[in-house]
Each structure stands twice: as structure tokens, then as C-alpha cells.
Amino acid sequence: MGNAVVPATSAPSNEGESSNTSEQSTFLFVNESGDAPRYKSGNRSDIRAHVRKVSAKQFGLTHKVPRKRAGRLPRYAPLMAEGLDSDTSKGSEHHRNCPTRVPGILQAYPSSSSSLPAARTLIEFTESPSKTIPNHEIIKSSESVDLQGYRTAHCRACGQSLDRPGHKTINQKEERSQVPTKPISAKSNPVGNFGAGRIDPFSSLPMDETSSYAQELLDHAVTYTLPGIWPDEVPRDEANPLSKAWFTSSLRMPLLFHALIYSGSNHLDYMRHSAIYPNAPKPLSHKLIVIQKLNAALSDPNLALRDEVILAILILASQEVFIDKKGKRNPFNSPLQSLGWLNVYGNFKFVPQHTKAVADIIIMRGGLEALELHGLAEIIVSGDVISATNALTKPGWPQLRRLVNLITSIRVWAISPPWALIQTQASAFWSLRSYGITDSMLEVFDSIGALTHAIGVHLQGKPFGLYLGTIHRTRTAIQHSLLLLPTFDELNLRPEEEGVEKKNVYECCRLTALIYGVAVVFPVPNSHGVLQKLVTLLQTALVVLNIESCGSDLDGVLLWMVALGGIAALDKPERVWFASQLGGLMRKQGICDWGDAEDRLESFLWLESACGQGGHMLCDEAMAGSYGETWELSSL
């Protein structure tokens, strides 16, 4: 289209100009050629559209008027539950107890905001206050709170306080005390912003494809699983040392990263369903990545012996086979069952092939003491103790020196102020040295007695107790020592030192202590099969010992053996035999009720909160059995 000259629309005159001023006609040159710098050629047939557009734009720039300032200030009113609309607010009336009764709220508040009470919340009256503030943000309260923390009533119209007869101010502290609330402790942040936000906003984790599910599992492992395995008391703003060390190592070595996700998945499954699903699609994908990266790491001499490789194999070894629950009820009320997540990992059975691989690498590294990753050596020993307890075998790994020092420390703590200088627990065993009780057994029993005292102090909430992390590692070390006690045949005594009575007293004490270990020291969750085997062995040893022929100096230890053996025999065929033997011993020793029996049991190994209820049930069965008549005659 060619160029055109057309008349443009004349601008209207201002109000201040004279009426006789002639309107000036102007012409606008419109370039419709293809080379136009400003306008695109569109082959328009009507050029007036372009003319109107340009003319209107020029008119707006020429006659632009600066925005005038409002002539009056906006009106404000207190934010109330009722009267949120401006129409209803104008009709508000003063309260009958208001000191100044002015008909309307607008008269009570002039345009200046200085006359408003300082503690009131204000909103601006526009067309409707409900449009200015969303409904979910409106404070539905007609009472204000003064700076001293007391709630008072105010007039809805003017906002002045009301001195009503019989009105009682409510202290905020008193009001909060009426509602039982539990303070929410801020969880430690193990990984900085990642722990605070619960997700990785920068996709910096060593994953090919970032998923919210994987981050949830990792967060669960770092925030709950690992701190539970290593329950140390840490400052509020610091991370758990085990979580910090393992997560930091996983960022450097992705195979450990995926192993932690796999472990978090199994732990979360058990928390939700009391079972694990390691072969579900999502955890299985991480497991396969771990296996793939492990094969690559084991083929590299520089990576094969690293602590991260050992830990990844250990996770695969310990979370494959789940032990099904057996037995209807636990005969003992075992304390601290979830400490160190023993209630979870005590149900797992180690895979022998993976366990052997871990052992081979540790031997090449120079033993457990040579491991550097925080807590790795202790976790390996703990898993070994769990396997040995479930199978009633001796642990395969030796004790760590630092754990042996914990046993010494707890024995010193148990006889230090404010506690008695002489420990009551396990003190009666020292009189049985002539019956084959060895010094090593006495040391182990003293350690168990000190641990029993520490657990009792913790359960009763007494001061000067030990931290849960210390109790957890100490009980693992003590259970390790208990399992390492040799049988009487393994002592290799000289023929003149052997004897049938010595042999059976030693063996009965060892088996009964193992029952106490499962009940109190190291309460593995699936203990039905373990207790069944121990009860059978203990019954056989007691039959050979021949309780009826024993002297009075063995009355106390026999009562302890029969009581713990009978409690452990709950829902087992040996229960009746143990109940009858308990009844006979109580009649022989002149014990009339279960309270007197517990007084004697406390000098051996006994925790009333764990064993008292089961012992009382056993005593009732002993009194109500076929020997009940003899019991009643002897008590008269």
C-alpha cells in the first residue's frame, strides 16, 4: 500500500480555553510501504484504523494529567468478629458499661489515627473490609490483649476497656496452663538446609533421577533410623554424630548413599507394617544400584577396602531375611526394647555370604580397631551379638577395647556416690566359689548387676543416671561377655577339681544368666525359640543336679534358677515342672508369699519391673497346683 496523507482527529479543547478559539486541523503522514520503520504493512484497506491508533496515543501523551492526591485520609476501625461490613459497622452502638457512649463508631474515631488505642488491630474501610482481608486471616476475636499479658473486654464501638461488675481478667500464662501441652523440641538438622527443608532443592544428591520418594527415605534414614541406632545426647543445634558421619560419607561414595535409602525403606516398612519388603520395586531399584556399584568398587584395589564398602555390604547382609514372630506373649516385661532399634534389627537374620565378605575385608584391613568410620565397628559387633543371641552361639568378633572400658566404668559408677558402696545385685554369687563359680563368671555377673542398677535408675527417673547411648553400648558389651562365657566342659579343669555338683551348679548359673540376658540385658524381640531352648537345657541340668539332695547353702541360687526358668517357660510344656519345683523350694525355705521370695532374689540377678509380674503368676500357679494342700498345711 502506498503512502497517504489523511486528516487526523483534532484534539478537544481544554475547559480553560476560550470558546472562540478555532480548532486547528492537522494532517498525519502514514507510511504503509514495506520499508516502514514503525508500522507493519498489512495491506489494510482502511487506513483510518492506523490513524485513530496513532492519534489516540499522541493525545494521551500530550494531555497526561498528574494524579491528584486524596483529599482526606482513609477511615479505620478496630478489627472485629462482627460488623466486618462497612454498612453494619456504622450502626454499631456503645456497650452499656462504656465510659463514653457515642452513637456511632465513625464519630468515635476521627480521621487521625493517634486517638486509637495502641493495642488495637486496625483495618481500612474500603468498599468492604472482607475484600481487603481474606476470611481465613480475619481474627475472630472481639477481645484485645494488653501489653501486660491480661485479656480484657472492650467496647465494640470505641474500643475502650469495660469495667464490668464481676469481670475477671484472665492471665495468658494461667490460660495456657489449663491446657496440657507438650513442648515440641526442634529436631537437630543433620545436613543443614537439606534437613530443614526435607528435600534437596538443588538436585545435588548423587542420584541420576531425583524423586521425592527417594528423598523421603533418605530423610527418614538420616533423621530417625541412624539417630536411633546411635542414641547419644547431642546439643540441640547439632546433628547426631552417626547421621552426620554416614551421610557425609554417602555423598562422597554413591553406593553408600543408595544403601542408606534402601535401609531407610526397610525401617519405614517395619514401622508401618511390622514387616519389610526389600523386593518391592522402589527399594529393589536402589538395592540393585548398590550391588552394581559394589561390584565395581570391589574390582578396584583403591576402593575395595574402604569403610563405605564394608558398611554397604553390612546393610545388604543384615536386611534380607526377616524372622517371623513366634509365641503369643512375652513372659518378661523387658525394659528398653527399642533402644538402638533392637526391636527392629533383632528380627533380621544375616546372610552368611555377605557376612563372610565383610569379615574378609575387615581382616585385610587389620581388624575392627582399624575401622575409621564413626560407629562402624560398634555396629558390626552389635549385629554379631544379635545373631549370637538368637542362635545361642558365641560371637565371632572379639570385644572392642573401648567397649570393655565401658564395662569397667559402669561397675565403678554402680558403687560410687550417691549409690551404696556395696552392690546388692549379684552379691550372693561370691559365696558359691566353692561350687565351681569362676572369677570370670563373677565379673560378668557383677557387670550385669551394675547394668541392672543403671536400667532401674533410668526407669524410675532418678537423678545421676547414665545416658541412653551409654546404656545401649554397655549392654551390648555385657551381653557379648555373657555369650563368651565357656561351658563347664570348655574350662578344661583338672580331674581333682571336677565334680558333678560343681559342674551342674556352674552350668545352671550360666544358662539362667542367659535367660536373664534375653529378658533384661539384651531383649531381642523374637525370643520364643531362644527361651524354649534355654528352658529345656536348664530343666535337664537341674534334674541332673537333683534339687532335693542339695544343701541349704544352695537354697537361694536354686530359687533364682527355678524362678527365672519357670517365668521363661510360659506357654511351654516345662512350665508345670518349674512351678512344682518353685512350690517345693518355697515350702522348704519357709517363704509364705511372693514378696518374701523377691527379697531373696534381689541379691542375685533380678529386675522387679521386668520379672516381678511373671514371677507372681508362677507363684500363683505353684500355690494352686496339686501340691496346694501341702502348701496350706505348711503355712499354718
Side-chain angles (χ1 to χ4, degrees), residues 265-277:
S265 175
N266 291 331
H267 187 271
L268 188 60
D269 286 342
Y270 186 85
M271 292 288 99
R272 291 173 174 174
H273 313 291
S274 298
I276 63 172
Y277 305 96

Side-chain angles (χ1 to χ4, degrees), residues 412-471:
V412 173
W413 169 85
I415 57 176
S416 300
W419 318 120
L421 296 179
I422 300 177
Q423 179 178 306
T424 303
Q425 288 281 344
S427 60
F429 290 107
W430 288 88
S431 62
L432 302 176
R433 301 184 67 178
S434 59
Y435 289 92
I437 303 300
T438 61
D439 292 341
S440 60
M441 177 175 280
L442 290 174
E443 291 181 2
V444 173
F445 285 1
D446 277 349
S447 303
I448 298 176
L451 178 66
T452 302
H453 177 57
I455 293 175
V457 169
H458 173 76
L459 295 179
Q460 297 173 21
K462 295 181 179 179
F464 306 105
L466 299 178
Y467 289 115
L468 281 179
T470 304
I471 294 177

Side-chain angles (χ1 to χ4, degrees), residues 521-537:
V521 178
F522 205 73
V524 290
N526 203 352
S527 60
H528 182 271
V530 179
L531 293 177
Q532 177 66 74
K533 186 176 181 179
L534 289 173
V535 164
T536 302
L537 293 174

Side-chain angles (χ1 to χ4, degrees), residues 187-267:
K187 285 189 174 295
S188 60
N189 181 7
V191 286
N193 290 335
F194 171 72
R198 322 300 281 188
I199 60 173
D200 178 22
F202 305 107
S203 300
S204 59
L205 298 177
M207 289 190 297
D208 296 335
E209 295 182 1
T210 305
S211 65
S212 59
Y213 180 75
Q215 295 190 33
E216 176 189 356
L217 296 179
L218 179 65
D219 178 74
H220 179 80
V222 173
T223 309
Y224 296 99
T225 307
L226 297 183
I229 294 177
W230 197 269
D232 272 347
E233 295 289 337
V234 295
R236 193 169 184 178
D237 297 333
E238 294 185 8
N240 180 271
L242 191 72
S243 296
K244 183 178 180 179
W246 288 16
F247 180 77
T248 304
S249 299
S250 69
L251 295 179
R252 294 193 298 262
M253 207 159 188
L255 68 88
L256 179 57
F257 178 82
H258 290 277
L260 290 180
I261 294 179
Y262 174 70
S263 176
S265 175
N266 291 331
H267 187 271

